[in-house]
């Protein structure tokens, strides 16, 4: 695995818009304010040609121009790292114009982004054996006061913090005044509560009982302690982090860009910890995505799963299942820990993760941390 150099003091941050740019409000105002903050911290900035463009469909510009910008700025020696301007809808369409061979031969640099940026954070790792950062996009750094999740992302980019911990509260609905106050903080109203499923059947997810009992006569996996709400011993597992937004991942599955089974085989001695979250997928969509990835062989050599809160489907049921059953039905046979409702993805805050790095996940059932190492 190739690990880029961390951002040094007075280093240069490059900005690209392979998905949406910052051409509209409130993103333009946020991006401008975030730039002001970075400059005050001594950073040099290099903006790609698509940062303020709105000429594409679901992305900033025509796919060819977006792909060329991403390739050129990744290989440009005049910036030290790249931060994506934003997420979007059709970043997949730029991939035919991204020169992964050239990128794989270039000096590696950190690329930071999430959501639609899975199309690059994930492929950097699986195609180029290069670590990336799954975390906030550029305009989010305008927030005042800055949430610890955003501070963590900058500290990670600088190599000053490689262990991330879950946060206390999360945002179900953003502030209605967001457009009037583009630098508004998260509207944190919900306490963070980890849901978990363990190989020995321990769970604190009430709704998993129905699904688990179906397996009770088939496997020792589900000797459930019904009603257990606490973990008496520490949960701990290690592996190489891999994942992103499921909406994007299943879109890549089966294409020429899908080299996941080769990647997992290459790193089978380490094992894989999958981190997954969903944006537009409903519960049935999540269930289908899990089925697709499982049957494509993506989950071979898995050591555990970190599942973020789904943007759609939190606290609801479809056809008698909830968000936990939508995920876990495919994962029982793997006999590995599954931690759910984590701070990953589209319901903020979201902890930054090094895709491709080795990690040790530790939890007592109430709190959790992800210890990442560059090996």
């Amino acid at each position: 695995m190739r690990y880029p150099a961390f951002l040094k003091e007075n280093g240069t941050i490059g900005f690209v818009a392979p998905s949406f740019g910052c051409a509209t409000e409130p993103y333009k105002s946020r991006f401008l304010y975030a730039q002001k903050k970075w400059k005050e911290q001594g950073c040099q900035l290099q903006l790609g040609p698509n940062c303020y463009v709105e000429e594409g469909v679901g992305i900033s510009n025509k796919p060819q121009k977006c792909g060329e910008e991403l390739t050129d700025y990744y290989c440009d020696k005049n910036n030290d790292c790249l931060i994506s301007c934003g997420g979007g809808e059709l970043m997949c369409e730029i991939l035919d114009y991204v020169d992964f061979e050239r990128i794989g031969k270039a000096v590696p640099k950190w690329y930071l982004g999430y959501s639609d940026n899975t199309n690059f954070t994930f492929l950097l790792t699986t195609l180029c054996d290069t670590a990336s950062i799954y975390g906030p996009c550029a305009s989010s750094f305008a927030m005042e006061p800055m949430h610890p999740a955003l501070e963590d992302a900058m500290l990670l980019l600088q190599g000053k913090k490689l262990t991330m911990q879950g946060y206390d509260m999360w945002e179900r609905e953003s502030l209605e005044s967001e457009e009037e106050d583009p630098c508004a903080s998260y509207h944190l109203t919900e306490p963070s509560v980890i849901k978990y499923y363990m190989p020995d059947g321990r769970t604190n997810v009430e709704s998993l009982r129905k699904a688990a009992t179906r397996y009770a006569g088939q496997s020792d996996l589900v000797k459930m302690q019904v009603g257990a709400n606490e973990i008496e011993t520490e949960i701990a597992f290690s592996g190489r982090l891999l994942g992103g937004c499921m909406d994007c991942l299943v879109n890549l599955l089966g294409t020429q860009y899908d080299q996941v089974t080769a990647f997992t085989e290459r790193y089978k001695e380490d094992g894989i910890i999958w981190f997954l979250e969903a944006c537009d997928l409903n519960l049935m969509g999540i269930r289908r995505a899990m089925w697709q990835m499982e049957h494509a062989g993506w989950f071979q050599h898995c050591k555990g799963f970190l599942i973020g809160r789904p943007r759609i489907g939190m606290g609801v049921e479809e056809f008698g299942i909830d968000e936990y059953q939508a995920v876990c039905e495919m994962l029982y046979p793997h006999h590995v820990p599954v931690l759910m409702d984590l701070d990953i993805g589209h319901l903020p805050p979201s902890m930054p993760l090094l895709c491709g790095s080795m990690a040790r996940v530790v939890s007592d059932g109430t709190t959790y941390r992800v210890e990442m190492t560059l090996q």
Side-chain angles (χ1 to χ4, degrees):
M1 184 61 57
R2 303 195 311 163
Y3 293 101
F6 289 109
L7 179 65
K8 295 181 174 60
E9 186 175 357
N10 300 321
T12 299
I13 304 173
F15 298 93
V16 289
S19 190
F20 277 139
C22 295
T24 60
E25 296 296 347
Y27 305 105
K28 185 175 181 178
S29 293
R30 289 180 187 170
F31 186 39
L32 289 170
Y33 188 72
Q35 290 179 57
K36 178 176 179 290
K37 291 170 66 176
W38 276 310
K39 288 177 180 177
E40 290 172 350
Q41 295 166 13
C43 293
Q44 309 301 309
L45 309 181
Q46 183 195 49
L47 273 64
N50 296 324
C51 290
Y52 295 115
V53 174
E54 190 183 15
E55 297 179 8
V57 178
I59 52 178
S60 63
N61 209 329
K62 301 295 189 293
Q64 182 172 350
K65 290 185 177 180
C66 288
E68 290 172 349
E69 177 195 54
L70 182 56
T71 301
D72 290 344
Y73 274 65
Y74 190 91
C75 298
D76 191 338
K77 296 180 181 179
N78 293 312
N79 67 71
D80 301 308
C81 66
L82 291 181
I83 301 180
S84 175
C85 284
E89 299 293 342
L90 292 174
M91 187 175 168
C92 58
E93 293 187 357
I94 83 166
L95 296 179
D96 291 346
Y97 304 101
V98 176
D99 191 339
F100 284 101
E101 183 176 356
R102 183 181 165 198
I103 287 171
K105 293 178 180 178
V107 176
K109 64 179 60 171
W110 292 113
Y111 179 91
L112 171 61
Y114 89 117
S115 190
D116 205 23
N117 291 278
T118 297
N119 285 285
F120 194 58
T121 57
F122 187 76
L123 294 183
L124 256 184
T125 300
T126 56
L127 299 185
C128 303
D129 286 298
T130 301
S132 61
I133 304 178
Y134 194 76
C137 296
S139 63
S140 296
F141 290 94
M143 182 181 295
E144 292 287 1
M146 186 92 77
H147 186 274
L150 294 160
E151 295 175 351
D152 285 346
M154 283 306 300
L155 291 171
L156 180 57
L157 194 61
Q158 297 164 343
K160 297 178 180 179
K161 183 175 182 179
L162 296 179
T163 295
M164 300 297 157
Q165 295 182 313
Y167 309 107
D168 293 335
M169 304 286 288
W170 61 278
E171 176 186 272
R172 184 179 290 274
E173 296 182 3
S174 62
L175 292 171
E176 293 181 357
S177 61
E178 195 171 38
E179 291 193 12
E180 299 174 9
D181 182 9
C183 300
S185 297
Y186 295 134
H187 183 214
L188 303 175
T189 60
E190 311 297 317
S192 295
V193 179
I194 303 171
K195 305 298 191 299
Y196 57 82
Y197 180 85
M198 295 298 291
D200 58 10
R202 285 175 293 162
T203 177
N204 64 353
V205 185
E206 187 75 17
S207 57
L208 282 179
R209 293 183 184 181
K210 294 183 295 182
T213 52
R214 296 181 207 153
Y215 291 83
Q218 304 172 30
S219 170
D220 291 336
L221 178 64
V222 284
K223 291 179 179 176
M224 293 190 64
Q225 300 173 7
V226 176
N229 291 312
E230 297 182 0
I231 295 179
E232 296 178 0
T233 57
E234 182 180 77
I235 300 171
F237 54 99
S238 299
R240 195 167 291 277
L241 287 172
L242 185 64
C245 180
M246 283 189 276
D247 308 48
C248 302
L249 292 175
V250 295
N251 196 53
L252 296 172
L253 197 154
T255 69
Q256 68 195 77
Y257 304 103
D258 176 5
Q259 296 185 23
V260 175
T261 55
F263 178 88
T264 58
E265 190 65 27
R266 197 155 61 244
Y267 292 99
K268 65 182 179 181
E269 298 303 319
D270 301 327
I272 305 297
I273 296 176
W274 281 91
F275 64 92
L276 300 169
E277 56 101 0
C279 177
D280 293 330
L281 297 178
N282 60 18
L283 297 187
M284 293 297 108
I286 291 172
R287 177 111 167 203
R288 286 189 292 268
M290 297 300 295
W291 184 93
Q292 285 178 274
M293 291 185 282
E294 166 68 16
H295 285 77
W298 281 22
F299 296 156
Q300 63 179 341
H301 311 306
C302 64
K303 292 293 188 70
F305 291 85
L306 308 178
I307 310 296
R309 293 178 289 267
R311 192 176 70 87
I312 299 173
M314 279 292 291
V316 301
E317 287 193 1
E318 290 183 24
F319 297 97
I321 70 166
D322 59 18
E323 65 266 36
Y324 310 112
Q325 291 158 296
V327 169
C328 284
E329 287 275 1
M330 289 298 138
L331 303 184
Y332 295 136
H334 289 287
H335 297 249
V336 296
V338 182
L339 302 186
M340 293 166 282
D341 285 0
L342 305 188
D343 296 311
I344 302 171
H346 286 75
L347 290 180
S350 182
M351 65 169 59
L353 295 173
L354 292 181
C355 186
S357 72
M358 284 297 295
R360 181 172 182 262
V361 178
V362 181
S363 176
D364 61 5
T366 302
T367 62
Y368 65 97
R369 66 182 184 273
V370 182
E371 305 165 351
M372 296 171 285
T373 57
L374 310 186
Q375 63 184 76

